[in-house]
């Protein structure tokens, strides 16, 4: 906090405050004090947005949501991940956010909302790097809920879309 107060006293601009808060939040997060990092990342996101630094804004909001999740506030975390995915739908973190939202909903005991989040990830990001993970989670959920017809439909639809290891996993 002294560092940030000094930065403010020195008249640092929004970009500098963005980066300073992001670095501080990252340091706290890496110490596995994730809930404590959340408010720092929230401050970083605010300054990053004002500075027009979308990359660090997205990263800060993502890490803040992870901090909320780590604090056991699963519904709040899910809402944060979903909002971030909507606000930055074209960012590479968007599909990650939908998967994290689904994970958060599962932890909150809301499997229907988790399913919607995973399905949204697949629908909006069919070429995203989290496609296989969202699909895997949907398949596990469908198996656990004895929705075998859904499992078969998901596998059939996905075989045409995935290649390599992800395709082999579906065959397995």
């Amino acid at each position: 906090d002294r560092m940030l107060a000094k930065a403010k006293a020195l008249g640092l601009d929004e970009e500098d405050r963005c980066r300073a808060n992001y670095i501080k939040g990252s340091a706290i997060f890496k110490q596995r004090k994730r809930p404590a990092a959340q408010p720092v990342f929230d401050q970083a996101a605010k300054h990053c947005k004002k500075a027009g630094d979308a990359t660090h804004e997205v990263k800060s909001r993502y890490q803040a949501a992870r901090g909320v999740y780590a604090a056991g506030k699963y519904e709040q975390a899910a809402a944060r991940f979903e909002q971030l995915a909507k606000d930055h739908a074209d960012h590479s973190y968007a599909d990650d956010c939908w998967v994290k939202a689904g994970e958060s909903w599962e932890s909150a005991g809301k499997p229907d909302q988790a399913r919607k989040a995973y399905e949204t990830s697949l629908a909006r990001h069919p070429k995203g790097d989290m496609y296989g993970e969202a699909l895997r989670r949907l398949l596990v959920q469908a198996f656990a809920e004895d929705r075998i017809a859904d499992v078969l439909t998901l596998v059939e639809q996905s075989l045409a879309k995935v290649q390599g290891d992800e395709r082999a996993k579906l065959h397995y």
Side-chain angles (χ1 to χ4, degrees), residues 71-92:
K73 299 174 184 173
Y74 305 123
E75 289 184 31
Q76 290 178 26
R80 281 177 175 244
F81 284 122
E82 287 182 356
Q83 191 60 54
L84 178 55
K86 291 173 186 174
D87 291 348
H88 295 275
D90 294 331
H91 194 278
S92 65

Side-chain angles (χ1 to χ4, degrees), residues 52-71:
D53 184 343
T55 298
H56 282 94
E57 177 196 351
V58 169
K59 288 180 177 185
S60 295
R61 288 177 62 188
Y62 185 82
Q63 294 297 73
R66 288 181 67 195
V68 172
Y69 181 89

